[in-house]
Amino acid sequence: NAMTAHTAPASKTPMRKSQVLEYLHIKASTLGDWVRLRGFPKPIRPTTNTPYWFKEDVDAWLSQARAVKKWPQ
């Protein structure tokens, strides 16, 4: 997999945009808003220009958002 071979540390799990949307049960417009307005991690864009996020970064953001009551429990 070119995505993991060139950019992803062995300990992190890359997620494509569609996977992030499904994982969080949100729409693409919501994801864009969160990146711009709520501090959600920006996507990583490797040379293939296919944006992705690391699951561990998504989970860390989600935990922080829950801690400050910005996300439903």
Side-chain angles (χ1 to χ4, degrees):
N1 182 329
M3 185 167 52
T4 57
H6 298 295
T7 56
S11 62
K12 291 209 173 186
T13 306
M15 298 173 74
R16 293 182 184 264
K17 185 176 184 177
S18 61
Q19 293 171 307
V20 172
L21 298 176
E22 183 177 333
Y23 184 66
L24 297 174
H25 305 285
I26 60 173
K27 295 181 180 183
S29 59
T30 300
L31 180 60
D33 289 346
W34 287 3
V35 169
R36 285 191 318 280
L37 305 172
R38 296 186 68 188
F40 193 84
K42 291 184 179 181
I44 296 161
R45 293 188 183 271
T47 56
T48 62
N49 204 29
T50 301
Y52 69 92
W53 290 257
F54 290 122
K55 182 180 183 299
E56 294 76 8
D57 296 340
V58 171
D59 288 339
W61 179 87
L62 189 57
S63 292
Q64 182 181 14
R66 284 181 173 151
V68 295
K69 307 290 188 221
K70 290 185 179 178
W71 184 270
Q73 300 293 325

